[in-house]
């Protein structure tokens, strides 16, 4: 079952929401395998019933700045390891002269279980993207991720990289 709606709230303001419920077959479920020498994961495939709710809000405040909010909520009928129940992202893209764009982003990933009664803590990230479009076909970008240098566990016994950056050029022909 799936229900979705898109509503134009006002000029340059849109809300989209959806709710879905159904059976997911072969849902990837990652179980940690501990050995004295190494840590590995085994993928178990579960048949689960899943409720998924999504909300997305976009508002163009003016010609320079916009606001985007996206949230996802999941509920399963049995424990699913290493998958968050709630995620949320807030960004405020800034358009400078239509060639340079700056996109600050705050994101939240909720708690994840890795065993029946053991959980990984929630994560909060601040990211910054800088994008330059020389022409419609040529551009460059710089992405600075995890600005607060968080080094929490993404997976059991696997920590985040911490602050990192990505630079790239793109050409379309």
């Amino acid at each position: 079952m799936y229900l979705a709606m898109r509503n134009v709230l006002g000029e340059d303001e849109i809300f989209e929401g959806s709710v879905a419920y159904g059976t997911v077959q072969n849902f990837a479920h990652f179980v940690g395998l501990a050995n004295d020498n190494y840590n590995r994961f085994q993928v178990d495939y579960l048949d689960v019933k899943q409720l998924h709710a999504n909300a997305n809000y976009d508002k163009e405040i003016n010609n320079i700045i916009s606001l985007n909010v996206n949230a996802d909520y999941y509920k399963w009928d049995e424990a699913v390891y290493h998958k968050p129940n709630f995620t949320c992202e807030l960004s405020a893209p800034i358009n400078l002269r239509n060639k340079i764009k700056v996109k600050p982003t705050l994101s939240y990933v909720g708690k994840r279980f890795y065993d029946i009664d053991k959980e990984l803590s929630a994560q909060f990230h601040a990211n910054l993207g800088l994008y330059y479009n020389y022409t419609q076909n040529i551009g460059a970008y710089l992405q600075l991720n995890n600005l607060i240098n968080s080094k929490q566990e993404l997976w059991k016994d696997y920590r985040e990289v911490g602050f990192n950056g990505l630079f790239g050029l793109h050409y379309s022909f």
Side-chain angles (χ1 to χ4, degrees):
M1 295 184 343
Y2 180 76
L3 174 68
M5 96 170 184
R6 183 174 192 270
N7 191 3
V8 177
L9 300 174
E11 188 175 335
D12 301 323
E13 186 175 17
I14 298 171
F15 173 81
E16 294 176 294
S18 66
V19 176
Y21 180 80
T23 300
V24 180
Q25 295 179 339
N26 297 324
F27 187 80
H29 170 79
F30 299 92
V31 179
L33 299 175
N35 186 327
D36 291 338
N37 299 325
Y38 58 85
N39 288 330
R40 298 272 194 254
F41 289 95
Q42 175 181 332
V43 181
D44 284 342
Y45 295 98
L46 302 174
D47 294 337
V48 296
K49 290 184 174 68
Q50 174 181 279
L51 171 69
H52 176 213
N54 173 266
N56 188 13
Y57 175 77
D58 293 314
K59 174 151 177 76
E60 188 174 313
I61 296 171
N62 54 36
N63 290 339
I64 297 173
I65 192 167
S66 299
L67 176 68
N68 307 107
V69 180
N70 188 32
D72 283 294
Y73 172 78
Y74 296 92
K75 178 143 179 71
W76 299 281
D77 65 338
E78 55 186 281
V80 176
Y81 298 158
H82 295 98
K83 302 271 188 186
N85 285 4
F86 181 72
T87 62
C88 184
E89 184 172 285
L90 169 71
S91 65
I94 302 167
N95 184 5
L96 305 172
R97 297 188 191 164
N98 292 327
K99 288 199 176 267
I100 301 171
K101 292 185 173 49
V102 178
K103 185 178 178 184
T105 305
L106 299 174
S107 64
Y108 172 83
V109 176
K111 297 177 190 176
R112 291 141 353 256
F113 289 95
Y114 66 90
D115 203 347
I116 295 296
D117 59 348
K118 297 177 183 169
E119 63 184 35
L120 299 170
S121 62
Q123 296 175 318
F124 177 77
H125 289 123
N127 303 321
L128 181 65
L130 304 166
Y131 306 91
Y132 176 71
N133 292 318
Y134 181 69
T135 65
Q136 187 175 355
N137 299 342
I138 301 171
Y141 59 90
L142 173 65
Q143 294 175 344
L144 303 173
N145 302 314
N146 198 358
L147 295 173
I148 58 176
N149 199 27
S150 169
K151 293 187 181 174
Q152 295 177 327
E153 288 182 311
L154 287 171
W155 295 77
K156 175 67 177 126
D157 296 326
Y158 289 89
R159 293 198 175 278
E160 294 179 271
V161 173
F163 173 74
N164 64 82
L166 177 68
F167 173 75
L169 303 170
H170 65 85
Y171 175 73
S172 176
F173 52 103

